[in-house]
């Protein structure tokens, strides 16, 4: 869309909440993927929303359709703009209308079914973002490059090596960053040497990163979006983008910062524990570009003679005389004395148990919320409100479980996931 001289673009940000989130199961059993807790006190959705706000784009729609209750609560508690800013973060769950009666059937279909909501904002441009990626991007710089290039669509791209290229949509570009072809997940034995990034576009990219992968982040001119979705195509990456390359000017925007798709248990676990490193890949400690979230009125964490190394502890925790290494401890976590945690993500609790609730637990022979005395836990994700009894051993004996559901816990590539609200009795060995 050609802007008038000195006209500021009217940008609408759309965050795609994804489908059922099966790759993050069981963390997505009772919540949508964007609502999964991350980094001790945040939710995954806080990352793209904060990128938008820090870039000055405060009109944000979040599209989702599965288990959206906790997401609604988090958004309503966290993102309240004053009346003069014109900003909002609004969830658009799949709904029945006279025009559409079904679920979202893909990323493009989700956007198409909500045009009625979008058009009233009279946007000149749309930014399409994913709800399950970890990165910091100056979206304003991305937008400025899009406008300056005269492109109808710009796709954010990450340079990857040949091995990793098999997991992405790969783009072929000319020396002006115009995308001339798109290939979905090229097989490892396919020769794609002529798809390498042109020398003029490489900048200071490492030599081994030779191909451009789509990050699933797009800018569309508004009229181009309307035109390209005037059909029954379901998905941006598989259908809309390859179709647009044939008829529109589609450019790439090479992003050279940290970016991680946290859509699987393994990637979620590794990205979370990376936060404990002295210099993590993702920096929460940027005053100028904070990550926003709901801030509960919780007391400071109480550390009672614990030995903690390369670990994070969120607000409201009580940690006894225990040893914690390379672990991320969420809000209101209770860890009793004599425990040894290594490589543990503990998501914490939604509430503190009262004395009467603890008395009821004792009467029923049920542990209190948190981790009991003398537990040894390695390489484990403990979802919210879990109750782990005394002298339990979790993933500490070297036993391996088949990937999948095992009742009160789930196994994924050697990582144990204790379910939300699970009860693990005293002396349990997993």
């Amino acid at each position: 869309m050609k802007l008038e001289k000195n006209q500021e673009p009217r940008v609408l940000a759309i965050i795609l909440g994804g489908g059922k989130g099966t790759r993050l199961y069981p963390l997505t059993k009772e919540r949508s993927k964007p609502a999964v807790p991350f980094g001790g006190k945040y939710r995954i959705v806080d990352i793209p929303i904060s990128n938008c706000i820090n870039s000055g784009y405060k009109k944000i729609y979040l599209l989702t359709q599965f288990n959206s209750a906790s997401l609604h609560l988090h958004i309503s508690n966290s993102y309240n703009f004053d009346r003069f800013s014109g900003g909002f973060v609004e969830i658009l769950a799949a709904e029945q209308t006279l025009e559409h009666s079904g679920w979202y059937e893909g990323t493009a279909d989700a956007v198409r079914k909500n045009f009625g909501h979008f058009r009233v904002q009279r946007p000149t441009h749309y930014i399409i973002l994913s709800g399950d990626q970890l990165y910091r991007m100056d979206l304003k710089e991305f937008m400025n490059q899009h406008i300056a290039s005269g492109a109808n669509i710009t796709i954010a791209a990450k340079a990857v090596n040949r091995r990793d290229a098999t997991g992405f949509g790969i783009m072929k570009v000319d020396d002006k960053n115009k995308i001339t072809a798109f290939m979905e997940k090229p097989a490892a034995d396919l020769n794609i040497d002529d798809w390498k990034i042109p020398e003029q576009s490489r900048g200071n990219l490492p030599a081994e990163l030779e191909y451009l992968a789509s990050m699933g982040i797009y800018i569309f001119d508004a009229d181009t979006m309307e035109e390209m979705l005037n059909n029954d195509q379901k998905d941006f990456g598989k259908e809309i983008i390859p179709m647009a390359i044939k008829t529109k000017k589609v450019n790439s925007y090479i992003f050279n910062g940290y970016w991680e798709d946290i859509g699987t248990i393994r990637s979620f676990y590794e990205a979370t524990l990376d936060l404990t490193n002295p210099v993590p890949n993702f920096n929460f400690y940027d005053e100028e570009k904070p990550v926003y979230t709901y801030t509960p009125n919780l007391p400071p964490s109480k550390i009672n003679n614990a030995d903690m190394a390369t670990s994070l502890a969120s607000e409201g925790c009580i940690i006894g005389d225990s040893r914690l290494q390379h672990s991320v401890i969420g809000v209101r976590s209770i860890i009793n004395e004599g425990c040894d945690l290594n490589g543990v993500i503990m998501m914490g609790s939604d509430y503190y148990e009262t004395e009467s609730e603890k008395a009821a637990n004792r009467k029923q022979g049920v542990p209190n919320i948190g981790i009991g005395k003398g537990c040894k836990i390695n390489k484990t994700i403990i979802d919210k409100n879990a109750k782990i009894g005394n002298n339990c051993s979790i993933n500490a004996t070297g036993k391996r479980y088949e990937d999948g559901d095992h009742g009160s816990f789930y196994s994924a590539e050697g990582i144990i996931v204790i379910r939300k609200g699970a009860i693990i009795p005293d002396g349990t060995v997993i």
Side-chain angles (χ1 to χ4, degrees):
M1 175 175 290
K2 186 174 176 58
L3 297 173
E4 299 295 328
K5 187 176 181 181
N6 298 324
Q7 180 188 357
E8 284 293 318
R10 295 188 299 274
V11 179
L12 205 59
I14 300 171
I15 298 172
L16 302 173
K20 294 180 179 179
T22 53
R23 295 186 304 157
L24 263 181
Y25 185 88
L27 302 180
T28 51
K29 183 177 185 292
E30 299 178 33
R31 57 170 79 91
S32 62
K33 186 160 51 173
V36 171
F38 179 76
K41 60 179 287 183
Y42 303 93
R43 305 285 183 130
I44 292 176
V45 74
D46 293 326
I47 307 302
I49 291 177
S50 297
N51 277 328
C52 292
I53 294 172
N54 291 328
S55 302
Y57 301 140
K58 298 180 180 179
K59 294 185 175 182
I60 305 164
Y61 285 106
L62 176 59
L63 310 188
T64 187
Q65 62 184 350
F66 293 101
N67 289 333
S68 56
S70 64
L71 182 62
H72 276 268
L73 184 62
H74 176 71
I75 294 298
S76 62
N77 285 337
S78 305
Y79 300 100
N80 298 298
F81 297 92
D82 68 68
R83 69 179 69 181
F84 303 108
S85 72
F88 59 82
V89 181
E90 184 174 336
I91 294 175
L92 295 176
E95 60 182 351
Q96 288 192 342
T97 68
L98 293 176
E99 290 81 20
H100 308 291
S101 60
W103 292 100
Y104 299 149
E105 298 177 57
T107 54
D109 184 64
V111 172
R112 181 188 300 113
K113 286 177 175 173
N114 284 292
F115 268 136
H117 299 291
F118 303 152
R119 290 182 186 123
V120 297
Q121 302 297 332
R122 301 176 59 242
T124 59
H125 297 82
Y126 292 96
I127 290 184
I128 310 294
L129 305 169
S130 173
D132 60 355
Q133 296 174 350
L134 183 61
Y135 65 102
R136 282 186 184 276
M137 183 186 290
D138 185 344
L139 299 178
K140 198 171 202 67
E141 178 185 299
F142 183 20
M143 177 62 69
N144 289 342
Q145 180 172 310
H146 168 80
I147 293 171
S149 72
N152 306 114
I153 304 169
T154 301
I155 303 173
K158 184 74 177 162
V160 298
N161 58 35
R162 180 62 184 91
R163 182 186 66 255
D164 292 340
T166 58
F168 294 95
I170 299 300
M171 299 176 293
K172 188 175 186 180
V173 300
D174 63 20
D175 56 8
K176 292 183 173 58
N177 287 333
K178 183 176 185 290
I179 300 171
T180 58
F182 183 91
M183 182 188 306
E184 185 73 20
K185 297 181 179 178
D189 58 354
L190 181 66
N191 186 339
I192 57 170
D193 286 349
D194 58 343
W195 288 63
K196 291 181 179 179
I197 305 169
E199 200 59 40
Q200 300 92 321
S201 301
R202 290 195 56 82
N204 59 353
L205 292 173
E208 68 274 11
L209 305 182
E210 299 181 302
Y211 302 92
L212 281 185
S214 171
M215 296 168 64
I217 298 172
Y218 316 108
I219 291 178
F220 278 77
D221 289 352
D223 51 2
T224 300
M225 177 81 89
E226 295 264 3
E227 180 184 345
M228 297 311 301
L229 295 190
N230 187 24
N231 50 51
D232 59 359
Q233 302 299 312
K234 304 293 192 300
D235 191 81
F236 278 113
K238 294 178 182 177
E239 297 167 316
I240 298 299
I241 297 303
M243 184 171 62
I245 289 170
K246 298 175 183 177
T247 59
K248 301 293 180 184
K249 184 178 181 182
V250 184
N251 273 25
S252 66
Y253 172 80
I254 300 176
F255 176 70
N256 198 20
Y258 172 71
W259 174 81
E260 184 66 48
D261 183 331
I262 48 178
T264 67
I265 291 294
R266 164 68 64 178
S267 60
F268 174 84
Y269 178 81
E270 292 178 349
T272 302
L273 288 194
D274 179 75
L275 300 174
T276 68
N277 292 328
V279 183
N281 286 307
F282 186 84
N283 177 24
F284 275 115
Y285 301 89
D286 186 337
E287 277 191 274
E288 294 185 0
K289 295 182 178 179
V291 176
Y292 299 96
T293 192
Y294 171 59
T295 305
N297 294 316
L298 291 174
S301 286
K302 183 185 292 185
I303 314 297
N304 296 324
N305 203 32
D307 179 5
M308 297 180 64
T310 56
S311 296
L312 304 179
S314 304
E315 300 100 313
C317 299
I318 302 174
I319 303 176
D321 186 359
S322 290
R323 184 167 176 264
L324 282 71
Q325 296 183 79
H326 204 40
S327 296
V328 176
I329 309 302
V331 294
R332 300 187 192 87
S333 289
I334 309 295
I335 302 173
N336 285 281
E337 60 266 24
C339 293
D340 188 339
L341 276 59
N342 191 348
V344 172
I345 300 170
M346 186 174 183
M347 293 183 173
S349 175
D350 291 316
Y351 56 91
Y352 292 117
E353 288 183 300
T354 64
E355 290 305 315
S356 60
E357 287 172 327
K358 292 177 182 179
N361 289 340
R362 288 192 294 272
K363 189 173 181 180
Q364 297 171 30
V366 172
N368 296 330
I369 284 181
I371 300 176
K373 298 177 182 179
C375 293
K376 184 174 178 61
I377 306 175
N378 295 336
K379 204 173 183 180
T380 296
I381 299 171
I382 303 171
D383 206 342
K384 281 195 168 185
N385 307 330
K387 299 183 174 188
I388 299 176
N390 298 325
N391 303 310
C392 291
S393 176
I394 301 176
N395 216 11
T397 63
K399 181 178 179 179
R400 289 295 297 261
Y401 292 87
E402 287 187 10
D403 286 0
D405 203 337
H406 297 271
S408 59
F409 70 96
Y410 188 91
S411 179
E413 298 183 70
I415 301 163
I416 297 297
V417 183
I418 302 298
R419 293 178 177 279
K420 184 177 182 181
I423 297 174
I424 309 297
D426 291 356
T428 297
V429 177
I430 295 176

